[in-house]
Amino acid sequence: MKKITKLVIPVAGLGTRFLPVTKAVPKAMMPILDKPVLQYLLEDALRSGITDVCIVLNHDQDMIRDYFTHKPKLEEKLNERGKNKAIETLNYVIDHMNIHYIYQDEPLGSGHAILLAKDFIGNEPFMVMYGDSFFLGKYPITLELQKAYTQYNCNIIGASEVELQEVNKYGMLILDEGDEDRILGIVEKPALRETPSLLACNGTYILNPSIFKELEKIKKVSDEYLFTDALFRLMRKEEFYVGKTDSVFYDIGNMNGYVKAQQDAYKVLK
C-alpha cells in the first residue's frame, strides 16, 4: 500500500469571523501560545511521514511564505545571544518539508482551492487539513489517519466525538449499523434530535485522487464550490471509513474554540 506523503492545506479564506485582526494576519497564522496554528499542523504532518505540502493561499497572505522562509540575519543574531530554540523548531519544518504554494485568485471556496492542487498531487492518495483545526493529543492526528488508511485502504474522514448540544455546528457522520467505522453519508449541521451520530467531521481527510474528477463536476453554490459536494459524489462510488482520534479537536475558526484551545494548550504544552 502506498504511503501518504502529500498534504493539501487550503488557507485562502478571508477569516471574517476574526476581523479585524485577520485583515492583517491570516487565520492560519493566529497563534496558539507561541506558534501559529499552521506550524502545529506541519509539525504533526512531519511526524507521520508527510514530506510534501501544498498550501493554497490568497494574494494577501504572503506573511505565510515569509514565515516559512529562512532568515539568516535573524538566525545569526539569535544564535549569538543563545536564543536559538524557537528558530530551530521553525527551521526543522522548513528544512524537512517541501512546501509549495498555490494562489487562489478569487474566494471561490474550499472545493475550488483543493482542485488547484491537482497537478501537485498527481495520481496518488493524499491528505487534506484545514488551517482552522487544532488538535491536542498523545499522537499526531495525521498519524492516526495514516493508521486508518493502512487498515481500510480507502478514503478516510477524520472524526471526533462531540457533545449533543454541539452537533448543529458540524457535519455529522452517518454510519453503517453493521460496520460502525464505515461512512454512508454526512448530515450538515443537523438539529439535535436529528443527528445520525455524535461523530463530527474534524476537517482532516485522506482521499484518493479520484476526488478531483468530482471537484471538476460540482456546481457553484452561493459563489463558492463546496468541498463537501464533491465528497458526497465520491461516496456514491467509493468506500469511506472513519479515521478516529483520541486527540481533542478544537474548531478555532470561532472565538470560543480558539480561546478554549489556548487555555488547554497552556495546561498541556507549558
Side-chain angles (χ1 to χ4, degrees), residues 122-165:
N123 190 33
E124 58 184 284
F126 65 102
M127 192 173 293
V128 173
M129 302 181 78
Y130 286 97
D132 55 4
S133 296
F134 180 71
F135 300 88
L136 280 176
K138 184 177 181 180
Y139 303 105
I141 180 68
T142 49
L143 184 61
E144 293 176 306
L145 287 185
Q146 292 263 26
K147 289 180 178 178
Y149 180 75
T150 299
Q151 180 178 356
Y152 297 114
N153 192 26
C154 69
N155 301 286
I156 300 294
I157 296 179
S160 299
E161 189 167 321
V162 297
E163 299 292 334
L164 179 61
Q165 61 268 27

Side-chain angles (χ1 to χ4, degrees), residues 130-260:
Y130 286 97
D132 55 4
S133 296
F134 180 71
F135 300 88
L136 280 176
K138 184 177 181 180
Y139 303 105
I141 180 68
T142 49
L143 184 61
E144 293 176 306
L145 287 185
Q146 292 263 26
K147 289 180 178 178
Y149 180 75
T150 299
Q151 180 178 356
Y152 297 114
N153 192 26
C154 69
N155 301 286
I156 300 294
I157 296 179
S160 299
E161 189 167 321
V162 297
E163 299 292 334
L164 179 61
Q165 61 268 27
E166 299 286 310
V167 300
N168 58 357
K169 300 178 181 179
Y170 303 103
M172 305 304 297
L173 298 182
I174 304 172
L175 303 173
D176 187 339
E177 292 183 2
D179 182 354
E180 292 188 351
D181 286 337
R182 181 169 176 261
I183 299 171
L184 300 181
I186 303 171
V187 179
E188 287 291 338
K189 301 179 179 179
L192 304 191
R193 295 182 179 180
E194 297 176 358
T195 185
S197 72
L198 292 178
L199 280 179
C201 301
N202 61 26
T204 61
Y205 308 84
I206 290 179
L207 298 166
N208 290 325
S210 49
I211 188 66
F212 291 114
K213 292 181 180 179
E214 308 308 325
L215 286 167
E216 290 171 340
K217 296 174 183 176
I218 59 175
K219 296 182 179 180
K220 192 184 296 186
V221 178
S222 300
D223 295 325
E224 292 189 348
Y225 295 94
L226 304 178
F227 181 53
T228 50
D229 285 353
L231 288 178
F232 295 151
R233 292 180 62 93
L234 191 58
M235 281 180 186
R236 303 189 195 113
K237 304 173 182 179
E238 297 183 12
E239 293 285 319
F240 277 75
Y241 272 76
V242 178
K244 293 180 180 178
T245 176
D246 292 328
S247 297
V248 180
F249 161 57
Y250 301 86
D251 176 6
I252 60 171
N254 66 78
M255 190 64 69
N256 288 339
Y258 181 72
V259 171
K260 187 70 165 62

Side-chain angles (χ1 to χ4, degrees), residues 10-32 35-39 55-68 101 103 131-132 252-253 258:
V11 299
L14 300 178
T16 54
R17 288 182 290 178
F18 272 87
L19 286 170
V21 67
T22 45
K23 180 180 178 182
V25 181
K27 186 168 58 175
M29 295 299 289
M30 295 282 284
I32 299 292
K35 289 191 293 190
V37 172
L38 184 55
Q39 185 174 342
I55 299 173
V56 184
L57 65 169
N58 68 48
H59 289 281
D60 293 322
Q61 294 177 323
D62 282 333
M63 173 190 286
I64 295 174
R65 298 189 71 151
D66 186 60
Y67 183 83
F68 291 102
Y101 299 94
Y103 286 95
D132 55 4
I252 60 171
Y258 181 72

